[in-house]
Amino acid sequence: MSVTLKDVAARAGVSVTTASRALAGYADVSAETRQRVAAAATEMGYRPNVTAQRLQKQRTDTLGFIMPTFGPRFSDPFFSEFIAGIGNEAAAHNYDLLVSAHAPDSEGERQAYERAARGGWVDGLIVVRTRVNDPRIQLLCRQGCPFVAFGRSVGELDYPYVDEDSLTGVGLLVQHFIDLGHRRIAFISPPTTLMFGQHRLQGYRQTMAANGLPIQPDWIVEGDLTQRGGAEKAEQLLRLDPPPTAMIVGNDLMAIGAMRSIQQHGLQIGKDIAIGGFDDIPLSAYTNPPLTTVHQPIYDIGRQVCAMLVNIINRRPLPTAHVLLTPTLIVRESSGGPVSALNEL
Amino acid sequence: MSVTLKDVAARAGVSVTTASRALAGYADVSAETRQRVAAAATEMGYRPNVTAQRLQKQRTDTLGFIMPTFGPRFSDPFFSEFIAGIGNEAAAHNYDLLVSAHAPDSEGERQAYERAARGGWVDGLIVVRTRVNDPRIQLLCRQGCPFVAFGRSVGELDYPYVDEDSLTGVGLLVQHFIDLGHRRIAFISPPTTLMFGQHRLQGYRQTMAANGLPIQPDWIVEGDLTQRGGAEKAEQLLRLDPPPTAMIVGNDLMAIGAMRSIQQHGLQIGKDIAIGGFDDIPLSAYTNPPLTTVHQPIYDIGRQVCAMLVNIINRRPLPTAHVLLTPTLIVRESSGGPVSALNEL
DNA sequence: GAAGCAATCCGAAACGTTTTGGATGTCTTC
DNA sequence: GAAGACATCCAAAACGTTTCGGATTGCTTC
């Protein structure tokens, strides 16, 4: 069906070996033969069979990325941007990117990682949204499968990662609201099974404490990272008596949902209540009002994670195995202005 | 390094052939041997080498998806949902999904398709956002490479696709606004190099015409599908004198950007001006006010496209090679109420 | 007791590459 | 004119799997 190296060799009147070496640019083939082979190859439209090359080279030149997806209607701009990042960087290094989707901690996910770690399915993996006691990381470490994670983990396992210091990030947000005079600040946390959930929650707790502000237990609720989840949890917070004067939401998507709930309560964001998100997805600049948030360079993180993985696979020394990015606060109108702190508590 | 079939065979005391057949469940191996082989395999942690299997079977069991991405900060929720759809469906059929990203009509894109079409890189491709005179489709048809597209095309080429009838979809929107009494209805079009840009623009034109409403040339502007683009184009429309009383925007992302511009002009959406989008991304239910739009089941379309492709690859008869989905209008608050038609023109 | 048959196993080829380890011939060099 | 150096080529093995076409054994059957 397809034209193979043997065909090209026959056409050029040389052996398969010579044809191979001619195309690969080895020195032990004369300029004239090289040319003849090249001509034959282009004439016949020869494309090397990647599978055969991979079998021979004992490497797949492929990276794996297993998206942790929750349910069907899965529409998170994070993943589009992240995949674009790793995809472009992978292409720059002549790697392919294999993507699949599995629910976190599902049996299917376990099997997918199992399969990836052995059997030469891919040369390395990219892991995102690391979890507390992450079984994926444990498995990959145990099997010695190359990988780089976007996100730290707890425990003694040492592995390469890129992460944003979201503890500090949320701290910036909290301090920002405190400086504006807010005292009753609530927090819609990402799932605390996720490492960044832990970090962001801690950032909230620590900064409140550092300012000597007490936290009511019901100021902390946990959402599922979707708009719907954010809306529901915000609804819950708004029913408190007295309600919080500011909300910090664990990611922008939930924050957008929360804004909706606030507005449905007839409250004006930036005046009656302040709100801040996390991620700085492009949309957050276009909400009404625009959302105060913490920037996270998803595309660049994707590229960096991928570049690190390629280095590991090729056993090149890694400049740094642990990258922690400093977050920057993006203040927009959803912060509102200063409020009088006196009648706050 | 990895444990191969030869190792398993040796351990079980049989030939490679028998080991292979035992694991594959052939009938010509005794129950006892089969068991011994299976035991050896699990004990040694054997995973078949996919590359070798692929070379032998002369198929990759892999599907390809080349994302058309514009620029770096690329964050379109469409893609995460679509990839989740094809990814899950592919997994259900034991196919892998290879993803890469290239700018539309770039040299890199051309090469990627070229490579895919020959050389057994993947067994088939999924094409989205079909373009007028789409070079990708022409190439794939010419090479006889299996593919299914999300989106129709023009020309005599016949190929399998799934598409939403967005001409009708935009028609629903236009009629909806006309029924509310609007007469000066503007349209922010998707790029008309894209087929769905053409369809949506036509839907606007036809329905306006069908209602005997003239279209001012400057009511039609073309945006780039991003929020930013939508905001810019809306800005342009709002500067018209008189400005439109309703805007139909070619996709939700741009609509969200447009809403921002409208609000910055101090206008109230649903009262001073109506706006409608297209796609019904989850976010559109959470904007302020919620956005009237046309639903498009991206996840399901992804699944369906993928299922069709798998059928084609395995030469199974396709129930229907051309699927055209009927759109449904989702009316939300951004539509506003009836306006008096008299003082409109 | 030879022929036929089923059950069970295996050697070897094949998939399309790359690479190892020569083989062959030509040209210098003394 | 023999010995080494060099340029150019190639046969065969290897990568790990599947499968084709037997081979072997033991059991029926007449």
Side-chain angles (χ1 to χ4, degrees), chain B residues 255-269:
Chain B
I256 291 172
M259 288 172 75
R260 178 86 203 117
S261 287
I262 291 172
Q263 284 158 340
Q264 276 177 326
H265 271 251
L267 298 175
Q268 204 177 330
I269 294 170

Side-chain angles (χ1 to χ4, degrees), chain A residues 140-151:
Chain A
L140 296 176
C141 280
R142 195 163 1 103
Q143 301 283 349
C145 175
F147 74 98
V148 177
F150 173 17

Side-chain angles (χ1 to χ4, degrees), chain B residues 91-160:
Chain B
H93 296 279
N94 284 313
Y95 274 82
D96 286 332
L97 180 65
L98 213 39
V99 174
S100 67
H102 287 284
D105 287 316
S106 64
E107 177 58 17
E109 182 186 60
R110 208 192 53 71
Q111 283 179 1
Y113 277 91
E114 187 87 43
R115 185 158 87 104
R118 330 254 204 95
W121 187 52
V122 293
D123 291 341
L125 281 171
I126 288 169
V127 176
V128 297
R129 296 203 168 157
T130 51
R131 319 201 257 268
V132 184
N133 288 325
D134 201 315
R136 303 172 295 171
I137 290 177
Q138 290 167 3
L139 174 71
L140 295 177
C141 280
R142 193 162 4 102
Q143 301 283 349
C145 175
F147 75 100
V148 177
F150 173 15
R152 286 158 286 169
S153 191
V154 284
E156 68 295 346
L157 287 175
D158 180 53
Y159 64 90

Side-chain angles (χ1 to χ4, degrees), chain A residues 1 30 32-33 58 61 102 117 124 132 149-150 162 174 177 221 232 245 261 281 299 312 336 339:
Chain A
M1 132 164 190
S30 74
E32 194 260 330
T33 337
Q58 290 291 84
D61 286 335
H102 288 284
V132 184
F150 173 17
V162 177
V174 175
F177 283 155
V221 290
E232 287 169 3
T245 65
S261 287
I281 60 177
Y299 180 84
I312 292 177
V339 294

Side-chain angles (χ1 to χ4, degrees), chain B residues 5 17 20 26 46 49 53 56:
Chain B
L5 193 55
T17 307
S20 172
Y26 277 75
Y46 168 71
N49 180 313
Q53 286 180 320
Q56 161 64 32

